[in-house]
Amino acid sequence: VRSLLLWWDRFWFDGGSAVQLALLRIVTAVVSLWVLLSRDPAATSGFPPVFWKYVGRATRWRYMEFPGHLELERILQDAAILALFGVLLGVAPRVCAFVASLLLYHFAPYEAILWTSSPYVRGYDTPVIALAALAASPCGDVWALLEPRRAGLREPWEYAWPGRIVQVLLVCMYFFPGYSKLLDVGWGWASAENMRAWLLAFNQGSEATPFTAPGLWLAAHPALCEATGIGTLAFELSFPFVLFNRRARWVYIPGALLFHLGIYFMMNITVLYAIFLVVFIDRIPFGWWAVHLLTPLIGNGTLFCPGAE
Amino acid sequence: MMERASALLFAAFVSFAAIAALSGGKKQRIRWFIAFSAVAIVGPGILHREAWPFSRWQLFAYRYHPPVEGVTVRAVDAAGIERDIDRRAWEPFSNLDLHTWIKLHWKDLSGEERDTAARYLLDLVNRARDDALAGRQVGVYGRYFGTFAAPLHFVFRPIWLDAASTPPLRFAVLRIYHDSWDVEERARDSRNWHRELIYEGPK
């Protein structure tokens, strides 16, 4: 039991740095702002009541969403944007991260709430959880405008665990789709017939689909369809390796980007959570960027937080 | 039941985060937050239960069963010509969410409710058409970043790009169709699919 606890502690607390946590804070804020400013969730509150007819009471209470309060929702949306700018710039970043997490949870289902209470793959999955973790961590010790100055940095473990939480979340986003395919369909999911059928279904329907030729080409090659199915299951089910093996990241992270690129061209589907794969690019690249590129520009954070490092 | 359980799970998650934040960096409090987060993130996946933001990530976990079914909304202009609609016209609805809502719930609405919904949607479409003709941004998602706005899960190509590609007359009526097809039959002949009018209005 003791060695298990030691392993648990090492898993979550090893290898943190203030710069890396600040980068997680900035990436989370930038992605959240990008998504929020590319949508208008508050506007859903102003839809005629008929669109809300099938939204259950429990769902409304779960997300605290009550139609017909457009002005209030606009104020809350502006508050979420302000809070995210606070996180980005490091102006009371922990308080802002907590407020932003709650508000993004509130706004996340707005695009989808009319028919489902599970708004996944709409851009807020990672930010809601990452922001709550950032709120509980010293994410503004460097590269922050208004964080109280400290005489020095904290112990490395304090900076390590929020990135680990995001890594675990991302691993689930790849592993559980594979697990779901096996639970709901079985190994037959990867069959050439099933792959071909979905590729056809996604490329035969709409005249406004940007790419149809790549998906239809793949559908015409049964062996490639089967290889795609088997490869997808193998990739998803083995993705947890990236948590425990740094070398595996050199294969899986570029592999994930290729995977999403393939899905984009074959099925016209995007997933925004893939951006957060940058949390796996730790140590060498982030450290290298921070030391060689960013430090000359912003002084290793000391421009914003004198005496921090 | 799952709605309440999911709400409680998230409430507990943010409570643990708040306690860890207020503890001033006490390692034990942070350990509790981490342990709870790990269970909350992994648990719904293992149990195959949806509790967003703690999801089971049931992405594309389906076997194909014919037929493919979908909804298409088209608009009829003042001259009686039926035209395709630029997907940005629905914003702040996303195309996926609006079409899924129609597919799931349209049949259960009363005639008056359908007309109310159609009137609102027709107004959105006409506003988008006016914007496209005037060279303004169509829809609201691109208001800050234009074409660099965060993409939706399902990507569609804009079709009202300028005045020349935008229908010149205002729309008077929406038509909603239920489309269905078997993928193999349609692959053999692209005309092998079925379209049924389920609504025309508003009256």
Side-chain angles (χ1 to χ4, degrees), chain A residues 150-168:
Chain A
R150 290 175 55 85
L153 288 178
R154 299 161 212 254
E155 289 184 52
W157 70 264
E158 295 194 56
Y159 302 111
W161 61 270
R164 259 330 213 182
I165 286 184
V166 177
Q167 287 181 350
V168 169

Side-chain angles (χ1 to χ4, degrees), chain B residues 6-29:
Chain B
S6 305
L8 282 175
L9 190 66
F10 183 72
F13 170 72
V14 290
S15 302
F16 272 103
I19 291 166
L22 295 171
S23 74
K26 280 192 184 139
K27 201 167 188 178
Q28 200 53 35
R29 300 280 162 85

Side-chain angles (χ1 to χ4, degrees), chain A residues 8-9 12-13 33-41 43-44 46-48 50-54 57-63 77 81 94 98 101-102 104-105 108-109 111-122 124-125 128-130 132-133 135-137 154 157-158 161 165 168-169 172-174 176-181 183-186 188-189 191 193-202 204-210 236 264 267-273, chain B residues 1-4 6-7 10-11 13-18 20-22 24-28 30-31 33-35 37-38 41-48 50-65 68 72 74 84-85 87 90-94 96-98 100-101 104-110 113-114 116-118 120-121 124 140-145 148-159 179 181-188 195:
Chain A
W8 178 262
D9 258 20
W12 294 102
F13 295 128
L33 277 168
W34 185 44
V35 175
L36 188 57
L37 294 172
S38 300
R39 307 281 186 269
D40 190 11
T44 315
F47 287 167
V50 62
F51 289 101
W52 286 85
K53 185 176 177 184
Y54 297 100
R57 222 167 67 131
T59 304
R60 294 180 194 202
W61 277 98
R62 173 179 168 187
Y63 293 108
Q77 189 167 303
I81 292 165
R94 298 175 69 168
F98 192 76
S101 175
L102 292 177
L104 289 189
Y105 173 79
E111 289 171 35
I113 198 166
L114 306 180
W115 68 277
T116 178
S117 59
S118 301
Y120 58 91
V121 296
R122 283 172 171 75
Y124 301 107
D125 314 287
V128 167
I129 293 171
S137 68
R154 299 161 212 254
W157 70 264
E158 295 194 56
W161 61 270
I165 286 184
V168 169
L169 177 64
C172 290
M173 290 171 172
Y174 288 90
F176 283 118
Y179 176 81
S180 299
K181 287 168 183 117
L183 272 189
D184 295 346
V185 182
W189 181 88
S191 68
E193 298 75 41
N194 196 45
M195 288 293 102
R196 170 178 158 79
W198 284 117
L199 284 164
L200 290 174
F202 272 84
Q204 288 176 330
S206 171
E207 56 273 35
T209 305
E236 289 179 339
Y264 177 62
M267 304 173 105
N268 301 285
I269 289 175
T270 64
V271 287
L272 293 168
Y273 60 71
Chain B
M1 178 63 187
M2 271 315 287
E3 296 286 332
R4 290 190 185 95
S6 305
F10 183 72
F13 170 72
V14 290
S15 302
F16 272 103
L22 295 171
K26 280 192 184 139
K27 201 167 188 178
Q28 200 53 35
I30 288 166
R31 278 198 186 100
F33 174 57
I34 289 170
S37 302
I41 289 168
V42 177
I46 292 171
L47 299 173
H48 209 43
E50 191 54 47
W52 197 91
F54 307 108
S55 179
R56 62 179 159 173
W57 301 107
Q58 191 194 25
L59 296 176
F60 197 45
Y62 311 102
R63 183 189 288 281
Y64 167 72
H65 292 293
V68 177
T72 300
R74 291 171 68 85
D84 198 12
I85 298 167
R87 301 303 198 275
W90 305 126
E91 295 168 7
F93 285 105
S94 79
L96 167 70
D97 295 321
L98 177 64
T100 311
W101 179 80
L104 292 176
H105 298 306
W106 194 262
K107 60 184 183 303
D108 302 321
L109 297 176
S110 69
E113 287 171 330
R114 289 179 183 190
T116 304
Y120 184 78
L121 295 175
L124 284 180
V140 293
Y141 289 175
R143 66 196 183 285
Y144 294 114
F145 302 119
F148 296 103
L152 292 165
H153 188 49
F154 287 98
V155 182
F156 288 97
R157 175 166 52 82
I159 56 172
D179 296 339
W181 69 93
D182 179 281
V183 293
E184 293 297 346
E185 284 177 19
R186 195 166 179 176
R188 274 191 289 277
R195 172 164 278 184

Side-chain angles (χ1 to χ4, degrees), chain A residues 130 142 230 245:
Chain A
V142 294
I230 293 168
N245 186 329

